[in-house]
Amino acid sequence: MAQSILGLDVGARAVKAVLLSSAYRGFEVADHAEAPLEPAVEGGPSLRERQAAALGRLLADRGWKAELCVVTTPGVAVAAHVVTLPFTDPRRIEQTIGFEVEGQIPYELAEAAWDWQPMGERPGMADLWVGVAPRAELTALLELLSGAGLDPRVVAPPAPTLAALLAPGVLAGEPLVAAEGQPAPAEAVLDLGEERATFCLGAAGKLEAARTVAWGAGALARSLAADLGLSAPDAARLLAGLAGGPLDGPDDGPLQALRDDPRAAEALRRAVAPLLRELRATVRGWRARGEGSRPLARLWLAGGLARLPGLAELFAGEVDGQVLPLELGAAAARGLPADTAPSFALALAAALRGHLGARLSRLNLRRGDAAYTRDMEQLRGRVATLGVAAGLVLLLAVASSGVKVFALARQEQALDKVLCDAQTKILNKCYPNYEEALSVLRGRGVPGAAIPKGSAVDVLGDLSARVPDGVALRLDRIDVTEKKLHLQGTTDTAENVDRIVTGLHASRCFADARPQGVRKRASDSKFEFSIDSALACSNPAQGGE
């Protein structure tokens, strides 16, 4: 049965959502939507309030009913730390990582919402990506979502969440295959938002590096305005035009001319330089952790600026392969058109995080007191059903036990009758207590008085105990009579025969054990042997030294 999963990207300009239909064999994008935020007004609603209003409008317009919700933390409130530990055991990591985090944040650990995610693999070493945010930020986000009727199961930082897009089959293009004798190539996603740029590097959906930088379309527009002498609104419209938007207004003539002016391209290059430095540092850090020989084969550009002219060329020097606008594979492309896919990359990644679950990532800021509790509430709702089912199972168990007791009682009666018939045949009387019948047998001069105290089972038990450890042998024949034991078998060496005889001598029952013949077999170099021993005690199980 398919499960509906809602992925949310609560941004500074819009709230974007992707509704995923998740099944065991795959997923489909059922729907997607975007609700812009109201413009900021001095003294007006706060950013949180405008985000809540936009989210409410989006859900009301679509009427979605999602069974699971995954949301990425908005803004740059999450601080990222890379921690390296000299062991890889998850239990030891969980016991240790809290002390490492506490030493790197400027407030108490109890005031933080945090979690960790392993990055790559190194022998004997664990590289961890740790996301930390003030607990107040998480509480505010949960209150915002609660007002819209949502209780997200996962709240994750945006950078590691983008790793879901790198899972097999999500993005278009040929799968990355390692050359013979070479390490597997990696790929990355760079999401350019309004106030942040989010970078994620990995392979096959596994995170290997992640970074969020406080740089986005807003910073780019401000830089263009300063370099080209434009007002902030004109710079924003020029940037939208450069990214493929329309510039056909009556007052857009100067901006149309400036869009093709080389000065705009040069201003764009200078504006992107800070982001390029941060990206270069992240890639170098990834290579320094032991991935230096691995190629970074592809960089996917996402966000509203993904198709900005010249942007791919600016990042090409940091990648060993192509720099491309984000393009989805067949499963995702059917529900997300190619022209809108880059803008919904983070919302899609959040939904895929819910679809892939523990197969992809364990990172979730909802831990401890803020943990998701809806599962427990659903469990409580099913207690009555489970109670009825448990009662039926108990009733069936009682009935089954009654039938078994009745059957065993019948079988016991049949066995008592057979025993009584045997006693009557031998002793001419049926004794209620079989031990009394044995006493009568031992005390009378009848053949039954010769019943031995020891049995062949006891002889075999003592024989097994006397064979030395580590001796490989095969017994082809075992003859046990009242007074004699005869063995025939094979073993690897002639010395093993002596060891077996020595072991038998340790028992009073086999004190005169001796080999009768040892012969090497030509077919497989095994040694055939036979051993004879008199049985010198009546109960071999008690005949040991």
Side-chain angles (χ1 to χ4, degrees):
M1 183 176 179
Q3 180 185 35
S4 58
I5 302 175
L6 180 64
L8 280 179
D9 172 18
V10 183
R13 291 185 59 185
V15 175
K16 300 173 184 178
V18 169
L19 186 67
L20 212 65
S21 178
S22 170
Y24 177 76
R25 295 185 179 275
F27 69 91
E28 291 183 358
V29 176
D31 202 358
H32 66 284
E34 176 181 5
L37 270 63
E38 295 292 337
V41 178
E42 186 176 356
S46 65
L47 175 62
R48 291 282 190 212
E49 292 171 337
R50 292 185 289 120
Q51 289 172 333
L55 178 59
R57 290 197 308 273
L58 186 150
L59 295 178
D61 291 344
R62 294 290 173 170
W64 290 337
K65 298 296 182 182
E67 300 170 78
L68 188 152
C69 178
V70 179
V71 62
T72 59
T73 53
V76 290
V78 177
H81 304 275
V82 175
V83 177
T84 299
L85 297 177
F87 44 81
T88 59
D89 180 27
R91 184 179 302 176
R92 292 185 62 191
I93 291 174
E94 193 66 50
Q95 294 171 347
T96 306
I97 188 64
F99 300 101
E100 297 288 338
V101 173
E102 191 170 22
Q104 298 188 28
I105 59 176
Y107 44 86
E108 296 293 331
L109 191 63
E111 301 173 4
W114 64 279
D115 201 2
W116 58 273
Q117 173 70 26
M119 298 191 303
E121 296 179 358
R122 283 200 291 169
M125 304 286 286
D127 296 313
L128 311 176
W129 193 95
V130 182
V132 187
R135 184 174 290 271
E137 291 285 338
L138 176 63
T139 301
L141 176 62
L142 294 178
E143 290 176 352
L144 182 154
L145 298 171
S146 178
L150 296 176
D151 185 15
R153 180 173 298 179
V154 177
V155 177
T161 303
L162 284 175
L165 297 177
L166 303 178
V170 177
L171 298 179
E174 294 295 327
L176 299 178
V177 180
E180 186 175 356
Q182 298 296 322
E187 57 185 334
V189 178
L190 178 61
D191 183 70
L192 303 170
E194 176 65 18
E195 297 295 339
R196 67 186 179 196
T198 307
F199 176 75
C200 176
L201 186 151
K206 294 184 178 180
L207 178 70
E208 296 187 10
R211 182 84 179 273
T212 298
V213 181
W215 185 99
L220 183 55
R222 290 189 291 271
S223 180
L224 289 177
D227 278 3
L228 301 176
L230 300 174
S231 65
D234 285 346
R237 289 162 58 201
L238 174 62
L239 182 59
L242 289 172
L247 276 178
D248 50 9
D251 300 328
D252 288 342
L255 296 180
Q256 292 177 0
L258 192 58
R259 179 170 56 183
D260 301 325
D261 194 317
R263 291 184 302 153
E266 180 62 23
L268 178 65
R269 185 188 65 79
R270 289 194 297 268
V272 175
L275 175 61
L276 192 59
R277 285 195 301 269
E278 298 293 341
L279 176 63
R280 184 180 299 122
T282 303
V283 174
R284 287 179 179 175
W286 168 70
R287 297 188 189 280
R289 288 199 307 271
E291 309 292 350
S293 59
R294 293 182 61 193
L296 179 54
R298 247 181 338 229
L299 174 62
W300 299 97
L301 297 179
L305 302 179
R307 291 184 170 84
L308 196 64
L311 195 62
E313 288 76 7
L314 291 176
F315 291 108
E318 309 304 322
V319 183
D320 302 311
Q322 297 175 299
V323 180
L324 304 167
L326 188 129
E327 183 179 354
L328 300 177
R334 286 192 292 268
L336 269 177
D339 56 339
T340 61
S343 297
F344 283 84
L346 191 52
L348 175 61
L352 288 171
R353 165 68 173 81
H355 167 67
L356 296 171
R359 291 173 288 172
L360 171 72
S361 171
R362 52 146 284 138
L363 199 152
N364 185 1
L365 296 183
R366 295 200 67 174
R367 302 195 344 159
D369 296 341
Y372 180 78
T373 58
R374 184 69 59 85
D375 287 340
M376 290 301 298
E377 293 173 1
Q378 292 173 351
L379 181 61
R380 294 189 190 99
R382 297 175 183 172
V383 166
T385 303
L386 292 175
V388 172
L392 289 175
V393 170
L394 181 60
L395 180 62
L396 291 174
V398 171
S400 176
S401 299
V403 172
K404 289 179 180 179
V405 169
F406 178 75
L408 289 173
R410 294 286 300 272
Q411 187 175 8
E412 184 180 8
Q413 291 175 1
L415 290 174
D416 288 342
K417 185 177 183 305
V418 171
L419 181 60
C420 186
D421 292 342
Q423 293 175 8
T424 303
K425 184 176 180 181
I426 298 173
L427 303 174
N428 298 320
K429 182 179 179 181
C430 179
Y431 291 89
N433 190 336
Y434 79 96
E435 293 182 351
E436 185 179 354
L438 289 177
S439 299
V440 172
L441 277 173
R442 294 190 183 98
R444 292 179 58 180
V446 296
I451 297 177
K453 296 182 179 179
S455 68
V457 175
D458 298 321
V459 173
L460 294 177
D462 198 28
L463 172 63
S464 175
R466 301 304 173 184
V467 174
D469 295 337
V471 173
L473 78 155
R474 172 175 175 169
L475 294 176
D476 301 318
R477 181 175 178 181
I478 303 176
D479 291 334
V480 180
T481 66
E482 183 179 355
K483 296 182 179 181
K484 184 177 179 180
L485 169 68
H486 175 73
L487 304 176
Q488 288 183 1
T490 58
T491 185
D492 294 336
T493 65
E495 290 78 3
N496 284 348
V497 179
D498 295 334
R499 294 178 63 189
I500 295 171
V501 172
T502 302
L504 295 178
H505 284 167
S507 171
R508 291 197 305 269
C509 291
F510 309 125
D512 64 341
R514 57 191 179 277
Q516 297 300 322
V518 179
R519 183 176 64 86
K520 186 175 184 181
R521 199 160 56 190
S523 59
D524 56 2
S525 299
K526 297 285 186 179
F527 285 83
E528 295 179 344
F529 68 91
S530 63
I531 298 175
D532 288 331
S533 175
L535 295 179
C537 58
S538 59
N539 191 351
Q542 299 176 358
E545 295 292 342

